[in-house]
Amino acid sequence: MNSKDYRSTLGGVTPSPAWRQRTLAAMKAAQGQKEPRRKPLAIAATAAVLALAVTGGVWLSNRTEVDPNGPGTARTPEPVVTPTPSAAPIGTDSERFFIVTDPSQLIGSNPTAGHLYELTELPVYENPIPTEQQQRTLLNQLAEELGYTVAQTQWTPSSGEDTVGRDPILEAECTDGTKLRLQGLYTLELYDAPDLAAVTETVQAHLLYHAMTPEEMLSSSHTPPQLAYETFESYRSTSGSSNVTPRTTWTMFPNVSDTSLEERIYCYSFLRMETDGSTLTLHLFPESTGVSLPLRSPDDAQAAFRAGDYWGSCCTTRPDEAQIIFVSLEYDTSPDQPYFQPVYRILFVQSYWDMADWLEPGVDPSPFMGVGIAYVPAIDPEYQDEVPYRRYFNDGLAHHTPEELT
Amino acid sequence: MPSLNGVPLSCEEILDRYGPLVYRLAIQGTGSVADGEDVAQEVFVSLIRCDPAFADDTHLRAWLIRATANRCKSWGRSPWRRRVVPLEDNRDGIAPPPEGGGVLEAVAALPPKYRWPVYLHYMEGYTAAEIGQLLGCSRNTVLSRLSRARAKLKDALKEEWA
């Protein structure tokens, strides 16, 4: 009976005369106007001018400014394939972590800091395996937006669901030598660019462009968002040398601090760019309709980690003894997964990680410390069979299970 | 102007024929009358600007459903839209909510992936295969979602959804 009630009730919901009048007026006003096509560079230039006017040129002036003293960073993307700007942890199959001097860099500007318990559900987005034609269309569009002319391409098909290489790859060499690498539909890497600084600036405009509607970009009264910057330095000890070299990743994303937490997480996770000074990775936001699913609690996620059930390139044999220093929530945008879904990101340290064991003789270990990152799917476990989580590292599934501890 | 079978459609004709469909879909999609009205208006303005030619009514309805679904999605996502204060906040003209709103609320409380198939199947009469084409998923997925939606509605309404 309910479906009949539903039909009759919803059938009673009809447009009001006032709405019809307003809509009719809007439609007539739109006659003769062509649907505005997104021309990011042109509109982004407008955004840049607006941003310049509003901010006194702050963000334009920090063109590729990689702010060595910048406001901290970020999550640490993990390398699955090369090239990648991401840092990899050091260690063995039993203990792997990042060597850092400033663990607060790993906390960065995640919007859930201090608000972790406020969310009860978040959308999950599908990551479909695209066709070659879909990738070619998107890559051509992106190349045009970024000012490149594609000279030649090479396509690598998907290796199938549940594999590293699930996302097909379309690589392009541009006329100026820049290489573009589109993995699936949502990760674009640029490398070998003659002027990475210039393309970084263009990509910044791209982020701002996608953070605003065209009307807002052209409105003189609308204040464009600023870009937030994060920096992450991880260190490696060079064999036979007393030098310790940092690997630095800079991340940028639109700072939309005056919006809902859900939307801030969305912008933080999906509208972001990372660079290590030679390769730039641009994350593209998912086109699929998000499906909201309930979240497990942060406490539940920490309990899962302590029990040994977590994901990521870092690992420890004694998660129950780990000191958890920070927990945040973000979307995992790493490639090859069927869904983009929220994950708890748990930073942890171990008292027995002695940096002297991991640095070359002659290196003063005192400035350094090891920090691990564990990822725990945030969707309520009851729903996880609907949206299976996948994360890869070194050609394999980066899933740690309690069985490994026994 | 958009045309149907080679015949241009006036704005009035479009609203008369498809206004209720888009209006209800947008309200179901956004979960709010105010947001739904804005989304529905945007869809019709976009239709005029795109100026497409449709071979038949089915094609046009599919276009409107997809456009509405996409705008509902981006509406919920765009942080800036929520800051916009409508110049005209006149809600006098909105039709009063009909009786039996419990059913509507129960459907509106479903996650979108269940809500859309319920609306398209029970309200618009689309088959699972057609809904799959509209929403970009398989027929089996639609059937599965309809089944789960019915189970959830049964729980919410304390009676069988049939």
Side-chain angles (χ1 to χ4, degrees), chain A residues 301-319:
Chain A
Q302 289 178 69
F305 164 65
R306 289 203 179 283
D309 185 6
Y310 61 98
W311 296 71
S313 56
C314 295
C315 56
T316 178
T317 53
R318 301 184 207 165

Side-chain angles (χ1 to χ4, degrees), chain A residues 121, chain B residues 28 31 102-112 114-115 152-153 156:
Chain A
E121 63 173 35
Chain B
Q28 282 279 285
V103 183
L104 283 190
E105 286 164 7
V107 176
L110 293 173
Y114 299 131
R115 199 189 312 155
K152 287 175 181 288
L153 289 168

Side-chain angles (χ1 to χ4, degrees), chain B residues 62-76:
Chain B
W63 189 98
L64 288 169
I65 289 169
R66 275 177 177 271
T68 309
N70 286 337
R71 282 182 187 267
C72 286
K73 173 184 66 176
S74 57
W75 190 269

Side-chain angles (χ1 to χ4, degrees), chain A residues 144-271:
Chain A
E144 184 186 346
E145 290 181 8
L146 299 173
Y148 289 115
T149 303
V150 173
Q152 57 182 15
T153 60
Q154 181 177 345
W155 186 68
T156 306
S158 165
S159 56
E161 283 289 357
D162 259 340
T163 60
V164 179
R166 172 192 182 274
D167 292 346
I169 293 169
L170 180 60
E171 293 172 286
E173 181 167 353
C174 303
T175 50
D176 71 346
T178 300
K179 311 283 196 316
L180 304 177
R181 185 174 185 278
L182 180 64
Q183 188 162 9
L185 290 175
Y186 302 117
T187 305
L188 179 72
E189 290 174 349
L190 297 92
Y191 54 101
D192 291 349
D195 188 355
L196 192 67
V199 72
T200 301
E201 187 173 302
T202 305
V203 172
Q204 287 175 337
H206 174 96
L207 292 177
L208 288 177
Y209 165 74
H210 282 288
M212 291 186 283
T213 64
E215 293 79 9
E216 286 161 349
M217 301 189 86
L218 296 169
S219 164
S220 57
S221 60
H222 179 74
T223 305
Q226 299 297 295
L227 286 177
Y229 296 78
E230 295 179 333
T231 306
F232 172 58
E233 291 171 320
S234 66
Y235 292 83
R236 278 177 186 281
S237 188
T238 308
S239 179
S241 165
S242 59
N243 291 329
V244 180
T245 52
R247 179 160 187 174
T248 308
T249 303
W250 297 278
T251 305
M252 282 146 257
F253 58 92
N255 184 7
V256 290
S257 57
D258 56 344
T259 57
S260 72
L261 184 55
E262 180 181 324
E263 288 164 348
R264 277 183 280 153
I265 294 172
Y266 184 88
C267 284
Y268 178 78
S269 303
F270 292 117
L271 284 177

Side-chain angles (χ1 to χ4, degrees), chain A residues 325-384:
Chain A
I325 58 175
F326 188 71
V327 181
S328 57
L329 186 61
E330 65 185 30
Y331 279 92
D332 185 345
T333 58
S334 61
D336 293 327
Q337 50 178 330
Y339 296 91
F340 295 119
Q341 58 182 287
V343 289
Y344 287 106
R345 180 173 173 272
I346 298 171
L347 301 184
F348 64 96
V349 297
Q350 290 285 20
S351 59
Y352 57 83
W353 285 344
D354 184 348
M355 291 304 100
D357 295 341
W358 301 93
L359 298 169
E360 288 292 308
V363 176
D364 175 13
S366 59
F368 302 103
M369 65 182 291
V371 180
I373 305 174
Y375 296 90
V376 176
I379 296 301
D380 186 323
E382 187 186 338
Y383 293 81
Q384 280 175 14

